[in-house]
Amino acid sequence: MEAARPPPTAGKFVVVGGGIAGVTCAEQLAAHFPSEDILLVTASPVIKAVTNFKQISKILEEFDVEEQSSTMLEKRFPNIKVIESGVKQLKSEEHCIVTEDGSQHVYKKLCLCAGAKPKLICEGNPYVLGIRDTDSAQEFQKQLTKAKRIMIIGNGGIALELVYEIEGCEVIWAIKDKAIGNTFFDAGAAEFLTSKLIAEKSEAKIAHKRTRYTTEGRKKEARSKSKADNVGSALGPDWHEGLNLKGTKEFSHKIHLETVCEVKKIYLQDEFRILRKKSFTFPRDHKSVTTDTEMWPVYVELTNEKIYGCDFIVSATGVTPNVEPFLHGNSFDLGEDGGLKVDDHMHTSLPDIYAAGDICTTSWQLSPVWQQMRLWTQARQMGWYAAKCMAAASSGDSIDMDFSFELFAHVTKFFNYKVVLLGKYNAQGLGSDHELMLRCTKGQEYIKVVMQNGRMMGAVLIGETDLEETFENLILNQMNLSSYGEDLLDPNIDIEDYFD
């Protein structure tokens, strides 16, 4: 006979997901309702916490992300109760979630922050690795120590960083765009950054700020039961620090880029032999490419007809919102990208259910200079704002849209350069009706401004430009700058004097 289930707890604030959005949301709720228990349900034994938070300007913010044990969170907020378990089912009609261990938790307000999963180019192939969280990054490092050649598929932040960091191993990098880093940069910025790929990297690695708390070795048995490849939280910009990304061949940078192509087919060694296909050697300095005589564990055929053998393939092609556990029996409205649609109060289409971070799709009338991107900064802002909205709704107050959704603003690091992205930095959605202004000092800085009808709509700042606050204000106040023309970027004119 089945043991009697514990009686469901009375309705509480419940948050699902131990990443930045979920933890920020739970912390905010805990601070707002110090006498109430806040439940945080998370499948992973570690949570992601925001540390060293700095507000750089009105909207730009910088912070580190630290993996911590959930007990550290409970120490900081004694009214947060962490339940280490995945969610098996959401019963929205009954206002109740069922965790993997069968216990039920009744909620009065629920916030879903279960993040996103890496899109894998091919499921269940042992030679294809997706990198999304600390576990997969460590698995990748283990594989790399034996590798002579790897293939990287994808053009986002993780692929960019990987290509820069890997040493002593041939890298074939396949991207579907014409230029690298297309999510973040146009061709000009990509060119500015890739000149660093060719330059030898300085040996002095910059010390990274994030301390790490890994799940390695802790709860091995418990985790293998819950499918080790389940879900961890997303990596951020310094994820490869502290991992030694060296392959077996002793040379520094050997990268070959294949553009405007995707993976057509993947063959294992035996299959490849039987089909008697031919693969290419690693292309070197304009020598004619010959047939590769070496046998590789896995082969990739690209849509441009080229075939390369390699030790393994890294799939870094973006993420899909992790909505699966919550859909059964619930009629959520989903966005085109598969996320849970949320309104301007982070509310989903079902009563008392909110969502924040990578799992959600923003579906309100967006500001003309903001767009959703699945980044840590937005996860933090959404988690924080969702908590505010849940608190306001439960005490019957109204609340204004948070200011951080007025302007897209993100600061990160690529190849050790500071990178600031503001507004429609890639002229997203502006059509052909816009112009660009550029200023570039090789090896030092790259500045691009997107203008429309004399008004600044976006900017990319690479290097120590000190222009982020000025440009943030110019985009926010939509001042007409036509009269300044090209002077706007003249290095001899101190633009800040004009607009402070």
Side-chain angles (χ1 to χ4, degrees):
M1 192 186 113
E2 195 183 345
R5 291 230 170 107
T9 44
K12 291 187 164 81
F13 287 108
V14 178
V15 180
V16 175
I20 289 298
V23 171
T24 305
C25 182
E27 289 181 337
Q28 278 302 312
L29 287 168
H32 204 284
F33 299 103
S35 58
E36 292 197 35
D37 279 351
I38 313 295
L39 295 190
L40 179 65
V41 181
T42 168
S44 159
V46 291
I47 55 112
K48 287 272 199 292
V50 168
T51 57
N52 304 330
F53 180 84
K54 288 194 291 288
Q55 194 75 44
I56 301 179
S57 64
K58 210 180 310 184
I59 296 182
L60 268 176
E61 53 186 50
E62 226 176 357
F63 54 85
D64 294 329
V65 172
E66 211 172 90
E67 291 199 322
Q68 299 178 346
S69 67
S70 46
T71 46
M72 279 176 81
L73 178 64
E74 293 174 320
K75 274 203 191 78
R76 279 202 307 277
F77 293 92
N79 58 329
I80 293 182
K81 303 284 174 266
V82 179
I83 295 168
E84 200 182 300
S85 169
V87 172
K88 191 155 72 180
Q89 198 192 354
L90 161 62
K91 302 178 176 174
S92 57
E93 300 278 309
E94 298 161 47
H95 273 55
C96 155
I97 61 164
V98 185
T99 48
E100 294 289 358
D101 59 5
S103 18
Q104 306 209 20
H105 302 279
V106 174
Y107 60 83
K108 57 180 168 189
K109 302 267 179 221
L110 170 68
C111 192
L112 300 176
C113 308
K117 294 201 289 266
K119 287 183 197 148
L120 275 189
I121 41 178
C122 155
E123 292 291 334
N125 184 322
Y127 296 103
V128 177
L129 297 181
I131 298 193
R132 164 75 181 161
D133 49 34
T134 353
D135 286 350
S136 52
Q138 278 168 337
E139 176 55 30
F140 166 72
Q141 190 191 351
K142 278 200 206 91
Q143 299 283 344
L144 188 60
T145 51
K146 306 187 286 285
K148 295 199 291 274
R149 182 192 298 164
I150 68 168
M151 184 134 182
I152 296 177
I153 316 287
N155 198 11
I158 283 185
L160 260 181
E161 288 287 6
L162 259 182
V163 170
Y164 179 58
E165 287 295 329
I166 288 172
E167 296 179 347
C169 168
E170 294 172 341
V171 177
I172 293 170
W173 185 12
I175 62 176
K176 64 178 193 293
D177 313 286
K178 284 200 199 66
I180 67 161
N182 131 299
T183 358
F184 289 102
F185 309 117
D186 57 9
E191 174 64 29
F192 173 81
L193 288 167
T194 29
S195 59
K196 268 201 100 152
L197 283 180
I198 300 134
E200 285 303 304
K201 284 192 302 187
S202 65
E203 264 315 288
K205 280 276 172 77
I206 288 167
H208 65 292
K209 303 181 292 284
R210 304 200 171 110
T211 47
R212 277 251 150 56
Y213 188 105
T214 78
T215 53
E216 190 84 8
R218 181 174 177 260
K219 300 226 175 157
K220 266 284 163 51
E221 324 71 69
R223 284 180 65 242
S224 56
K225 281 210 289 290
S226 71
K227 300 207 294 290
D229 60 353
N230 208 322
V231 277
S233 309
L235 292 161
D238 291 348
W239 65 272
H240 49 73
E241 298 277 11
L243 292 175
N244 181 15
L245 300 185
K246 276 197 184 339
T248 52
K249 287 204 169 180
E250 282 305 311
F251 48 77
S252 189
H253 269 96
K254 280 248 189 307
I255 295 156
H256 173 70
L257 190 60
E258 290 283 351
T259 57
V260 202
C261 65
E262 294 182 57
V263 172
K264 182 168 162 189
K265 198 159 168 28
I266 294 177
Y267 305 95
L268 296 178
Q269 195 182 73
D270 295 350
E271 223 181 329
F272 190 77
R273 239 200 228 109
I274 292 163
L275 292 168
R276 297 213 169 139
K277 289 192 171 282
K278 292 204 180 346
S279 73
F280 292 154
T281 50
F282 189 87
R284 281 173 220 288
D285 317 320
H286 314 297
K287 291 197 182 75
S288 57
V289 177
T290 50
T291 304
D292 199 345
T293 50
E294 194 164 344
M295 288 307 289
W296 298 92
V298 64
Y299 289 84
V300 182
E301 182 174 1
L302 299 170
T303 47
N304 62 9
E305 308 299 305
K306 294 185 184 172
I307 301 181
Y308 290 104
C310 57
D311 288 303
F312 66 91
I313 302 154
V314 179
S315 172
T317 48
V319 297
T320 339
N322 188 24
V323 295
E324 205 37 64
F326 313 106
L327 298 183
H328 181 72
N330 303 305
S331 51
F332 281 109
D333 288 350
L334 298 181
E336 282 173 26
D337 56 11
L340 303 174
K341 275 190 176 182
V342 291
D343 65 14
D344 57 3
H345 284 65
M346 305 311 290
H347 199 275
T348 66
S349 56
L350 296 182
D352 298 318
I353 302 182
Y354 297 74
D358 287 358
I359 194 175
C360 77
T361 303
T362 53
S363 307
W364 61 83
Q365 187 64 54
L366 302 180
S367 143
V369 286
W370 187 85
Q371 61 273 345
Q372 180 179 12
M373 282 181 81
R374 292 185 161 82
L375 301 164
W376 270 357
T377 36
Q378 289 195 3
R380 195 202 69 80
Q381 289 161 348
M382 287 178 178
W384 186 85
Y385 177 55
K388 289 270 189 240
C389 293
M390 291 162 80
S394 67
S395 42
D397 301 327
S398 66
I399 180 173
D400 284 335
M401 183 80 203
D402 189 72
F403 193 70
S404 59
F405 300 107
E406 287 296 303
L407 169 68
F408 176 87
H410 183 61
V411 58
T412 184
K413 262 195 149 61
F414 277 115
F415 304 175
N416 279 335
Y417 284 108
K418 174 177 168 183
V419 176
V420 176
L421 306 171
L422 296 171
K424 299 287 174 189
Y425 60 88
N426 245 352
Q428 297 95 320
L430 298 184
S432 52
D433 171 30
H434 68 272
E435 63 234 36
L436 302 179
M437 287 201 267
L438 291 177
R439 171 172 124 203
C440 178
T441 315
K442 209 174 160 108
Q444 196 182 338
E445 59 171 21
Y446 174 93
I447 298 167
K448 174 183 82 169
V449 175
V450 180
M451 305 291 291
Q452 190 174 43
N453 305 327
R455 290 170 172 80
M456 193 182 293
M457 297 300 286
V460 174
L461 306 172
I462 304 179
E464 297 297 332
T465 65
D466 274 343
L467 290 168
E468 48 268 38
E469 272 199 79
T470 309
F471 283 9
E472 177 180 88
N473 288 327
L474 292 177
I475 298 172
L476 280 170
N477 65 28
Q478 289 292 291
M479 181 175 159
N480 190 333
L481 305 166
S482 316
S483 56
Y484 297 97
E486 295 290 311
D487 286 353
L488 205 53
L489 293 185
D490 184 337
N492 305 315
I493 293 177
D494 196 350
I495 184 172
E496 290 152 71
D497 295 349
Y498 280 121
F499 308 110
D500 266 356

